[in-house]
Structures are given as structure tokens and as C-alpha cells.
Amino acid sequence: MKAIFNYFHPLNKLKREREKYLAEHKLPDNIKALLSAPLPDLESNVYSLDYLSVDFETSGFSPETDSLLSVGYLPIINQQLLLSKAVETFISSGEKIKAETAIINHIVPEMLEQGKHWSVVMDKFLAAAVGKVIIVHGSVIEKRFLNHYMKKRYNLPPLPLLWVDTLKLEKSLLMYKNNSETQDFRLGSIRERHNLPEYAAHGALVDSLSAGELFLALLKICFEGTDGCVKHMKFDFSRAI
């Protein structure tokens, strides 16, 4: 019975999907390295995994018509947020920044003038993600823009990556049973409920830090009093949005 459970566990299904992806597509070395990195075993401890907390800032919700403006991320190793290895990079864009998004993320045209090409920024992000579980709060934007990038740059379908969405993780808590629809699940609001500090600034780096801190807080709540096995982690296995 255990063998059957393990075979059909979504994490082992993801492993088989990666093997199929590697076999069916001619991949550049960076993507091959990303997908060849071993996924965690079901019996591994969630606290022993390496994570990468990520945030994309964009000019809108659609990668076909909107632009990726900045990418921020930092690793979480041994339950420590490695601020010394944090990265935030602006992306050069010919698109006029929308006033409504500038109010939210404080990105103005001057910040993008010295930005890098999106292929440089995204490939650097993918290199940083090798061997790590990707942490994000509300995965829609990140997955949409990453999927669009893979299609446009490499003509590849969505990557079989391992994600944890802190938004979904928060919603899974028993405290929201039967009334989750009435709650405010914005990153700042959730952090406030967990007594995490408020950050005045807003951007890819700050939000990746915010999501990373929230993830560590949720990890302790979700696995308190348990063996902390990976098989019980609520990963986000979806690729297409």
C-alpha cells in the first residue's frame, strides 16, 4: 500500500514528468541543469530543503500585452533567509509604465533605463532556482510570465518545477475552515495576522523577502508536532494558468 501511495504521490509524478520533459525536448544547458537537479524524497524533512523566494513585478497581468519590470529573489537555506545573496534586477522595457502599476510597485521609467534584457534576467533566475523549491505568494503572475518566457525564448512548454504558494498554504490552515472566502489574503494582511513586521516599501526584492518570512512562519504552523516529512507538504504542482 505504501509503495502504491508513493508512486501516485504528486511529487513522484512530477519526477516522472521531468524525466519525460528531458527526454522529449532538446534543451539548452541551463534548462537541462534545472530539470536534472534531484527533487526531494518523500521522507525528507521539509526544514532540510533549499528554497528560493521569488517575486515578479509587472506592468499588468497578461505577458502577451504587458511587460516584466523587475525580478527579485533570495535563497532560504537551513531556515535562514540569505540576505547577502538577495537579487533584484530591473528589466529594460520600451513600454510606457502605467500610472496604476507605478503607484503599487514604485517602478518609474528612470529605473528601467539601466535595466538588463529580460533573457539575461530570467536565465539568471533559472540558474538560481537549480535544486531549490520556489516560494511565491500568489503564483499566477510568476507562472504566467515564466511560461511566456519559456515559449518565446526557447519554444518550450511550461517547466515542471516545484513551487510552494504561501497564499494557498495560508488558505489551507484550519483557522479558515468554512470561511476562507471572507478573509483578506493579500501578503501584507496575512503577515499582519502572523505578527510579522510591515514593510513600507514595495517591490520585487521586498516582496520576495516578505514571502520568504511568511513561508518560514507558515512552515512552523503547518508542521508543529509532526515529523516534518516532505510527503505532507502542500506543494503547488500546477504549471499552466
Side-chain angles (χ1 to χ4, degrees), residues 138-164:
S139 61
V140 173
I141 291 294
E142 283 74 16
K143 287 182 179 179
R144 281 181 181 174
F145 279 81
L146 178 57
N147 291 349
H148 178 71
Y149 174 71
M150 294 307 302
K151 179 64 177 179
K152 189 170 183 179
R153 174 82 191 277
Y154 297 113
N155 195 30
L156 288 170
L159 295 171
L161 300 178
L162 188 57
W163 303 74
V164 171

Side-chain angles (χ1 to χ4, degrees), residues 14 31-32 56 75 79-80 83 114 147 158 185 215 231:
L14 182 66
I31 304 302
K32 190 179 298 184
F56 291 176
Q79 302 181 65
Q80 299 293 320
L83 296 178
Q114 302 301 317
N147 291 349
F185 289 103
F215 169 70
K231 62 186 176 185

Side-chain angles (χ1 to χ4, degrees), residues 32-69:
K32 190 179 298 184
L34 178 65
L35 298 184
S36 298
L39 288 166
D41 294 326
L42 292 181
E43 301 301 325
S44 298
N45 191 282
V46 293
Y47 298 107
S48 68
L49 305 185
D50 293 343
Y51 301 91
L52 188 71
S53 187
V54 179
D55 182 73
F56 291 176
E57 294 295 324
T58 69
S59 64
F61 296 102
S62 173
E64 288 78 16
T65 57
D66 297 306
S67 294
L68 183 61
L69 303 178

